[in-house]
Amino acid sequence: MIKIYRNPRALLPSCVFVFYTFTLVSILTYVPGLISDSSLQKLMLVVLPLISTSGTFLAGALAQYFMRPQRVALMAYSGVAIGAIILSLTGDSVVLFCVVVSIMVLFLGMIPGSALAMIPNLARNPSEQAQGYGLLAQFGNLGATAGPPMFATAIAMYGLSGLVVLVLCICCFGVLFSLLAGRIKAVV
């Protein structure tokens, strides 16, 4: 059992994925509450999950035809980090806040598409591939469970600044694991 966690070809896509679930569930849950305009708040509750799904499809296309999935993940985490920095500078503009959050969620949506594409790209055999998908499910549950309480605490204590700092920290880990995954020679 522990052998699965020692195999970087199976483990690294899940490490990239865990920070996505950690962040996206929290962003979808708490960020609309930071929007003061009630009509925009309701709109964002509907639109953000759709934007995330679009990002996943975009990442799949990019990973299939243009670049390695590890590069897509690296680009996605970098885009989220840049968006978080811009988010801290939006000031009182509610519309600009919504646009920046939407762009961040698009980049966040690209992460699962790239992580899922990494598994067959890195796995040497069907067994390794199955292990990779199993780890992805485990780590996804871990991120979805641990993320929201941490984001709730950061937002409750520090507001938007807490959100931005936590997103930047998470993006650092996402970039790190994307770079590590990029160092493994692809099988395909």
Side-chain angles (χ1 to χ4, degrees):
M1 177 74 156
I2 201 102
K3 184 172 91 172
I4 297 170
Y5 296 97
R6 290 185 182 163
N7 181 355
R9 290 179 179 275
L11 181 64
L12 286 173
S14 301
C15 292
V16 169
F17 188 73
V18 70
F19 298 105
Y20 153 77
T21 57
F22 192 94
T23 308
L24 183 74
V25 172
S26 304
I27 296 282
L28 295 179
T29 303
Y30 301 118
V31 167
L34 299 174
I35 300 168
S36 57
D37 183 340
S38 65
S39 63
L40 274 176
Q41 184 181 39
K42 291 174 186 172
L43 177 67
M44 293 301 278
L45 283 169
V46 173
V47 170
L48 289 179
L50 298 173
I51 293 171
S52 173
T53 303
S54 300
T56 303
F57 289 129
L58 176 62
L62 290 173
Q64 177 89 24
Y65 300 110
F66 298 107
M67 62 181 80
R68 292 181 67 199
Q70 295 88 326
R71 292 273 183 202
V72 176
L74 182 63
M75 179 177 66
Y77 275 115
S78 300
V80 173
I82 291 167
I85 292 167
I86 294 170
L87 193 64
S88 67
L89 305 172
T90 58
D92 294 332
S93 175
V94 178
V95 173
L96 183 58
F97 181 86
C98 291
V99 168
V100 173
V101 167
S102 297
I103 293 168
M104 285 176 62
V105 168
L106 179 71
F107 279 112
L108 273 170
M110 292 172 68
I111 296 165
S114 63
L116 285 163
M118 269 184 229
I119 293 172
N121 190 275
L122 297 177
R124 293 174 288 206
N125 55 54
S127 174
E128 229 173 39
Q129 192 168 350
Q131 291 170 357
Y133 288 123
L135 285 174
L136 195 84
Q138 288 177 6
F139 280 50
N141 290 334
L142 177 67
T145 302
M150 290 186 76
F151 271 90
T153 303
I155 292 169
M157 292 180 72
Y158 304 107
L160 183 60
S161 298
L163 172 87
V164 168
V165 169
L166 189 53
V167 166
L168 289 174
C169 291
I170 290 164
C171 286
C172 288
F173 286 109
V175 164
L176 172 70
F177 286 111
S178 298
L179 288 171
L180 288 174
R183 294 186 61 152
I184 297 175
K185 187 174 181 177
V187 175
V188 183

